Amino acid sequence: MLAPSYQKLKDILSKSIDPKRILTNPLQTLAYGTDASFYRLIPKIVILAHNELEVIEIIKQAKSLDIALTFRAAGTSLSGQAITDSVLVVVTHGWKSFELLDNNQKIKLEPGIVGARANTFLAPHGLKIGPDPASIGAAMIGGIVANNASGMCCGTAQNSYQTIADIRIVLHDGTLLDTADSTSVADFKKNQTALIQEIESLRDSIKNDETLYHLIKNKFKIKNTTGYSINALVDYEDPIEIIKHLMVGSEGTLAFISNVTFKTIIDEKYKSCSLLIFNSIQDACNATILLKSSPVAAVELLDRESIRSVENDPGAPKYFRTLPESACALLVECRDNDLLILNQKQEQIRYQIQSIPTYTDYEFTTDPKQYYFNWKARKGLLPTVGGLRKNGTSVIIEDVAFPLPQLADACLALKDLFKKYEYHDAVLFGHALEGNLHFVFSQDFSNQTEIDRYEKLMSELAILVVDRFNGSLKAEHGTGRNMAPFVEKEWGKAAYEIMKRIKTIFDPNNKINPDVLINPDPKAHLKHLKPMPESHAIVDKCMECGFCEPHCVSEGLTLSPRQRIVIAREISRLKQTNDDPQRLAEIQKDVTYQLDETCATDGLCALACPVYIDTGKFVKEWRANKLDSGDKKVASYIASHMAGTTAGLRIGLKSVSFFHSLFGTKIMTSLSNGIHFISFKKVPKWIPEMPKGAEKVATNSRINFQK
């Protein structure tokens, strides 16, 4: 039962938006409200918006009713940026348009385009977008911009902030600003004078405060996504440019992003990489410092625990299993459009670090199989480690950054911290060239003792990163709910007040993705934790990363593989706890069609899953568990009499063909509609009626295979 204001919003919006895209039933709100983080909030309403006009109407009506909105695309968010207990507006389907501009030097993209898909548009021109997060095969442009994504090869020079050319946004009151449209800019300046003056005032106050000015400049010399991109206030004079860049990394808390235009980046034709094994983290970090001035495209660090998590992969070298505990690897990438120059770069790299011994000899490889494994080992670390965790625990990933000269000491300090709080499965890896480290570990949130342990770890982590090493608590994943309580700790009161003022300027009523990025609650990161009950051995290792979703033929019709697992887990939880029988009954009412009947069970999800979860196989077992003994006897009989069954079917089909030739299509269609229900009375009940919308699944399947 919706609260009156939410019911009114639904009623009003149903006049202009297809009511089938305004979701309120418990199954769909849970499924669509889930992201890749370890937090869970269930929206009261989920709206599948298909265009900008719909979004503007949603914003205006929600504002009039004082209802909070959260916008999201793929939901690959790792820190809870894309969840809400109010209204969730999903902008995926219908947001796939793109346009190449200025002789391919720019590309305009809508928020529902997957990052890797954007690169396929550019690949024929030898170009790509700048950001290259490990999740680029699932993350969508909306989230990539909203979190200021960077990644393996883009560093700080080619991240979202540095490569954005233009942006189109909708503010809290429905006002549009398209920075690529001079008329839109002129209208905005004319009609939003107060907002423009506030931005200019912020800009001037920072430039008149020498201490604050230099703090901001220094903090962004390394990767930093803690809080808002207030470097925009020192990097630019023009208020429109400042607004444009403030939107990057704002996590949907300032405005809705309708589209973004990126400057394109050269995608070199030839690529090679090498996995260098060093005797210690210190050696690997010292080598990284030397590599900073060499012609490398990427330098990725993998500690011994990271290597261990992939050592049983069929493509892994045998020596992985015998490496000493102190070992550390650097994955070094080299790129160029000229093969001769590529070879010269490789020799320069080798010469640059010759003073630091490696544990094994190394060679740069262009062999597709070895190249693929090296990068697979690095890009798949988060979900791979997550797949090794104990059932019932959540996988946690955080990313921090340190000044490069202090990277080795910071690595060792982090390892000591994990050891102190007994996170024995913690792995350390990341973009070493930028001093950017990710760490992953499993966490049990099922009891207060474990939550307290996590709280102590996070508190001490903040002290270690900020006070000891003057680093960044967030480097590229966005602040989210997990680090929101620590933003002031890192930035200090003056800068934090600037950030609070930015939020107020763009969202005076705090109704656009509230409590994300700016949150006064010091324990916000310990609330709304996602339950992870055991459901089935096939899917229990799923960490809900969403890598499967772009490959699922039923995603958008009903549920994706991730969403099917979310629903199965919730059913298991509700059965175990018996704390809400009514909600369980409501979910089970819809589960057959949503989870079962519309799953193609084709296994495409397993091909995309880093831990090889085949949700189709799980659905088959789900179906098998629903069969009674009579169903199984009929199925067994038919299976053991296939010759007779196929002969009978052949006769039936020939009969239909004969009557079709006799009566024609029109009469046969009328007859089939009339006898449909009669004929099905004679069909065994284990043969399901073709589900409503199944033809759409088939259509989607064809589209996906064409892609």
Side-chain angles (χ1 to χ4, degrees):
M1 187 77 174
L2 288 173
S5 59
Y6 287 95
Q7 184 62 53
K8 187 173 182 180
L9 178 67
K10 181 183 178 183
D11 292 342
I12 293 171
L13 293 177
S14 294
K15 297 174 183 177
S16 57
I17 299 174
D18 184 350
K20 293 179 182 178
R21 292 192 277 115
I22 303 176
L23 315 177
T24 57
N25 73 70
L27 183 149
Q28 289 177 304
T29 53
L30 172 62
Y32 280 93
T34 299
D35 70 0
S37 75
F38 54 94
Y39 295 104
R40 187 171 89 171
L41 288 169
I42 302 175
K44 293 177 179 62
I45 301 177
V46 174
I47 305 173
L48 309 180
H50 281 186
N51 56 62
E52 186 182 80
L53 287 176
E54 290 183 351
V55 168
I56 292 172
E57 180 66 9
I58 292 166
I59 288 173
K60 288 181 176 179
Q61 297 301 335
K63 180 178 172 63
S64 70
L65 294 167
D66 198 33
I67 290 175
L69 297 175
T70 292
F71 304 100
R72 83 161 229 204
T76 57
S77 158
L78 295 167
S79 298
Q81 296 96 313
I83 59 172
T84 180
D85 57 2
S86 185
V87 175
L88 182 70
V89 183
V90 179
V91 289
T92 52
H93 297 275
W95 299 86
K96 306 290 186 183
S97 296
F98 76 97
E99 184 180 1
L100 290 167
L101 305 167
D102 296 351
N103 195 27
N104 306 325
Q105 296 307 298
K106 295 178 183 177
I107 183 168
K108 182 192 290 186
L109 300 158
E110 288 193 325
I113 296 174
V114 173
R117 184 70 175 154
N119 282 337
T120 65
F121 305 146
L122 293 166
H125 310 287
L127 300 167
K128 62 177 182 174
I129 60 172
D132 64 334
S135 60
I136 197 168
M140 292 179 177
I141 294 299
I144 287 173
V145 176
N147 288 293
N148 191 16
S150 47
M152 270 73 67
C153 297
C154 74
T156 54
Q158 297 176 353
N159 64 12
S160 302
Y161 179 91
Q162 296 292 353
T163 57
I164 188 173
D166 282 297
I167 197 166
R168 184 178 173 94
I169 58 174
V170 184
L171 298 187
H172 73 99
D173 59 356
T175 298
L176 268 170
L177 170 62
D178 187 341
T179 66
D181 183 342
S182 59
T183 302
S184 175
V185 170
D187 289 343
F188 188 84
K189 288 181 176 180
K190 178 182 176 182
N191 299 322
Q192 296 288 330
T193 54
L195 189 152
I196 294 290
Q197 287 171 2
E198 286 273 17
I199 294 298
E200 290 175 334
S201 174
L202 279 179
R203 176 200 65 196
D204 295 342
S205 66
I206 290 174
K207 291 184 178 179
N208 291 329
D209 185 335
E210 190 174 344
T211 301
L212 184 56
Y213 180 86
H214 287 294
L215 170 69
I216 295 170
K217 293 292 281 187
N218 289 331
K219 289 290 288 180
F220 284 100
K221 285 181 179 178
I222 60 175
K223 279 188 176 182
N224 193 315
T225 58
T226 309
Y228 289 115
S229 300
I230 57 176
N231 49 330
L233 293 158
V234 301
D235 291 343
Y236 299 97
E237 284 286 331
D238 179 11
I240 299 299
E241 284 294 324
I242 292 172
I243 291 170
K244 179 197 304 182
H245 288 84
L246 279 174
M247 293 300 147
V248 180
S250 63
E251 301 177 24
T253 64
L254 302 181
F256 169 72
I257 299 173
S258 285
N259 65 53
V260 63
T261 302
F262 278 127
K263 302 166 192 170
T264 56
I265 305 298
I266 293 174
D267 185 18
E268 291 87 352
K269 183 178 179 181
Y270 301 108
K271 301 176 178 70
S272 66
C273 69
S274 182
L275 204 58
L276 285 61
I277 309 295
F278 293 90
N279 294 299
S280 67
I281 282 181
Q282 293 95 322
D283 283 352
C285 291
N286 289 335
T288 301
I289 294 172
L290 297 176
L291 289 169
K292 185 73 175 176
S293 58
S294 68
V296 291
V299 178
E300 296 291 305
L301 181 144
L302 296 83
D303 73 351
R304 180 65 182 94
E305 288 76 11
S306 299
I307 299 169
R308 185 177 289 111
S309 72
V310 296
E311 65 185 19
N312 292 319
D313 188 281
K318 291 182 179 179
Y319 72 81
F320 269 23
R321 302 177 192 180
T322 61
L323 290 174
E325 290 304 302
S326 63
C328 184
L330 290 181
L331 174 58
V332 179
E333 171 92 346
C334 195
R335 298 179 173 186
D336 205 275
N337 277 325
D338 187 306
L339 196 54
L340 178 62
I341 295 176
L342 178 72
N343 291 328
Q344 291 172 353
K345 286 182 176 180
Q346 292 170 182
E347 289 306 310
Q348 284 180 259
I349 292 167
R350 188 181 291 276
Y351 176 78
Q352 196 82 16
I353 59 171
Q354 63 178 339
S355 61
I356 301 176
T358 55
Y359 181 78
T360 59
D361 292 334
Y362 64 92
E363 295 292 337
F364 282 87
T365 182
T366 56
D367 174 65
K369 184 178 179 181
Q370 187 60 47
Y371 181 93
Y372 172 76
F373 168 77
N374 287 349
W375 276 108
K376 174 190 169 188
R378 165 57 189 91
K379 290 184 177 183
L381 272 174
L382 165 61
T384 300
V385 173
L388 296 173
R389 75 192 189 281
K390 180 182 175 183
N391 285 355
T393 62
S394 297
V395 60
I396 309 291
I397 179 170
E398 277 303 338
D399 68 310
V400 294
F402 303 99
L404 195 54
Q406 296 178 281
L407 185 60
D409 290 340
C411 285
L412 296 174
L414 284 171
K415 284 183 166 292
D416 288 342
L417 183 62
F418 297 140
K419 194 176 295 183
K420 176 179 178 179
Y421 288 105
E422 299 184 348
Y423 287 96
H424 302 301
D425 63 344
V427 303
L428 199 62
F429 60 96
H431 318 311
L433 206 62
E434 304 299 332
N436 178 194
L437 297 174
H438 304 315
F439 48 88
V440 179
F441 56 89
S442 59
Q443 173 68 50
D444 185 356
F445 286 124
S446 64
N447 61 75
Q448 192 59 46
T449 300
E450 284 295 296
I451 294 173
D452 291 344
R453 179 170 71 121
Y454 180 70
E455 181 180 12
K456 291 174 184 176
L457 174 76
M458 293 301 291
S459 296
E460 224 169 292
L461 174 70
I463 294 169
L464 185 153
V465 174
V466 175
D467 296 340
R468 185 171 169 185
F469 292 104
N470 193 28
S472 307
L473 284 168
K474 296 295 292 190
E476 61 177 7
H477 291 167
T479 307
R481 297 176 185 276
N482 200 32
M483 281 299 181
F486 302 99
V487 175
E488 186 173 4
K489 163 73 176 173
E490 175 172 337
W491 276 102
K493 185 174 179 58
Y496 188 61
E497 288 299 320
I498 293 285
M499 294 184 186
K500 287 167 63 177
R501 194 169 155 193
I502 288 169
K503 174 65 172 171
T504 302
I505 290 170
F506 288 96
D507 183 22
N509 299 316
N510 192 30
K511 292 297 179 182
I512 304 178
N513 207 9
D515 301 328
V516 171
L517 198 147
I518 296 292
N519 193 326
D521 184 354
K523 293 184 180 289
H525 60 306
L526 307 173
K527 298 176 180 178
H528 308 299
L529 301 168
K530 182 190 290 183
M532 295 292 282
E534 291 186 88
S535 174
H536 192 287
I538 293 176
V539 298
D540 281 340
K541 295 302 181 184
C542 173
M543 56 163 282
E544 302 175 12
C545 66
F547 283 21
C548 55
E549 292 191 335
H551 306 271
C552 175
V553 298
S554 67
E555 188 278 323
L557 170 67
T558 53
L559 302 180
S560 68
R562 168 170 66 172
Q563 292 171 330
R564 287 184 167 89
I565 294 170
V566 167
I567 297 305
R569 282 175 167 167
E570 184 67 354
I571 289 174
S572 295
R573 187 187 73 81
L574 291 171
K575 284 181 176 179
Q576 291 166 16
T577 61
N578 196 34
D579 62 359
D580 196 342
Q582 182 179 348
R583 184 163 177 269
L584 174 61
E586 289 176 348
I587 290 175
Q588 288 182 314
K589 182 176 65 176
D590 298 319
V591 77
T592 299
Y593 175 65
Q594 295 281 346
L595 187 150
D596 178 359
E597 291 180 346
T598 50
C599 178
T601 66
D602 53 16
L604 289 177
C605 49
L607 297 177
C609 177
V611 289
Y612 312 112
I613 293 173
D614 187 342
T615 311
K617 185 177 179 182
F618 164 69
V619 170
K620 289 176 183 176
E621 294 215 10
W622 178 284
R623 291 171 181 169
N625 291 335
K626 300 295 181 184
L627 299 177
D628 60 28
S629 58
D631 296 328
K632 292 176 181 178
K633 285 179 182 178
V634 173
S636 177
Y637 178 85
I638 289 178
S640 58
H641 296 80
M642 283 304 294
T645 300
T646 54
L649 289 172
R650 197 176 295 113
I651 292 170
L653 290 170
K654 286 181 178 178
S655 299
V656 171
S657 178
F658 169 76
F659 285 113
H660 182 266
S661 63
L662 193 65
F663 297 126
T665 300
K666 189 172 182 179
I667 293 176
M668 287 296 290
T669 300
S670 300
L671 286 172
S672 67
N673 289 337
I675 65 173
H676 174 79
F677 296 106
I678 298 171
S679 64
F680 258 78
K681 289 178 181 177
K682 299 179 181 180
V683 177
K685 64 180 179 179
W686 58 270
I687 301 179
E689 180 183 345
M690 188 175 186
K692 182 181 178 183
E695 69 280 357
K696 186 173 180 182
V697 174
T699 303
N700 284 347
S701 179
R702 288 194 292 272
I703 292 171
N704 270 271
F705 283 121
Q706 287 171 357
K707 290 179 182 177

